Amino acid sequence: MLLIEKNAGVATVTLNRPEAMNALSRALRAALHDAIVQLSADDAVSVLVLTGAGRAFTAGLDLKELGSDPNGMGAANATGAAENPVLALLQCPKPIIGAINGVAITGGFEVALACDVLIASTEARFADTHARVGIMPGWGLSQRLSRVIGPYRAKELSLTGNFLDARTAADWGLVNRVVSPEALMPTALKLAADMATIPAETLATYKRIIDEGYALPFGAALKHETDVSTPHNRAVTPEMVEARRAAIQARGRAQ
């Protein structure tokens, strides 16, 4: 149901229900939450890569399961991270790279938006079908999507339920880049490996500054940056800067 592989500071988490397009059943949501909690606390892991098995990233909530459970729709507005996979991802202090291998639909679209960086295969497609199912999003899509691609494009997607192909998603700023299916995981893992060469605490702090600042007005965000960076930078010694400068120069020559 969920596969986890660790290598050199990077944990690859694979949603593994390919026969159901990796639909987010109650059991899969709980397993994802538990994995995120464990990996967040694992000092050997600095970066996560999230992907799906088969032809889907995830098709969102398991509609078959919801159709047989009178209380199932409560999952669409769940406020606990064990039931709400978006909250589970957002509570992870470490960078999460979404390797979007196929369709990311409705709740799956929301999960993709909760990642920090998105690399899409040419086979990836995104769709918000909430309105077509007759429900409203409860995991943040109506607000997060418009902040990423703008309200006009967000309304086009959400008020039609139409699919968005990977190339257009890149043009609209929804994904960082688009690669061939066979290059998807190598590209995501290379990016994760680059991040993992930075101290884990620095990664987590920088991610937090960006996320928290993005939710604030610009002036308040600048103050927030100062409030966080000042005590952090005071702890950095000249010797630490010099050692890292040499490493940066060496890396630049190698690239």
Side-chain angles (χ1 to χ4, degrees):
M1 180 172 296
L2 192 71
L3 304 177
I4 301 173
E5 182 179 349
K6 302 178 190 178
N7 183 42
V10 177
T12 301
V13 179
T14 304
L15 305 174
N16 190 36
R17 296 186 69 210
E19 75 288 350
M21 297 181 69
N22 301 318
L24 298 165
S25 64
R26 181 179 290 106
L28 180 54
R29 297 196 306 274
L32 180 60
H33 166 262
D34 291 347
I36 295 296
V37 170
Q38 292 167 12
L39 294 171
S40 294
D42 189 340
D43 291 338
V45 173
S46 295
V47 185
L48 283 63
V49 175
L50 178 64
T51 193
R55 62 192 182 93
F57 176 66
T58 167
L61 279 173
D62 190 331
L63 296 183
K64 186 178 294 187
E65 183 179 82
L66 295 184
S68 61
D69 181 356
N71 300 313
M73 280 309 303
N77 292 95
T79 56
E83 278 283 304
N84 183 331
V86 169
L87 285 180
L89 297 187
L90 293 177
Q91 289 177 5
C92 179
K94 301 173 181 181
I96 300 175
I97 298 172
I100 313 301
N101 55 299
V103 294
I105 304 173
T106 312
F109 197 170
E110 297 188 274
V111 169
L113 287 170
C115 296
D116 298 295
V117 172
L118 293 181
I119 308 298
S121 156
T122 51
E123 309 248 324
R125 294 195 299 161
F126 303 85
D128 175 13
T129 63
H130 281 99
R132 290 201 171 273
V133 179
I135 60 176
M136 293 293 112
W139 293 350
L141 189 147
S142 67
Q143 304 305 307
R144 195 165 282 115
L145 181 61
S146 63
R147 285 163 170 76
V148 174
I149 64 174
Y152 298 117
R153 286 170 170 166
K155 288 174 186 175
E156 176 183 337
L157 291 181
S158 297
L159 302 184
T160 63
N162 290 344
F163 276 91
L164 182 72
D165 66 89
R167 295 292 182 193
T168 305
D171 291 342
W172 287 8
L174 177 62
V175 303
N176 292 66
R177 68 190 79 164
V178 179
V179 298
S180 65
E182 58 271 18
L184 177 64
M185 289 309 297
T187 300
L189 290 171
K190 171 62 169 59
L191 186 61
D194 288 343
M195 291 183 182
T197 62
I198 293 174
E201 181 185 355
T202 302
L203 283 177
T205 301
Y206 212 144
K207 170 181 169 172
R208 180 166 60 87
I209 288 178
I210 294 172
D211 287 345
E212 292 176 348
Y214 193 72
L216 297 171
F218 185 65
L222 289 175
K223 182 181 183 304
H224 178 64
E225 179 190 79
T226 299
D227 292 342
V228 175
S229 67
T230 298
H232 178 91
N233 292 342
R234 283 176 179 160
V236 178
T237 67
E239 293 76 17
M240 293 165 64
V241 172
E242 180 59 26
R244 290 167 184 171
R245 182 180 68 83
I248 291 169
Q249 289 178 330
R251 186 170 185 265
R253 288 191 292 270
Q255 286 188 327

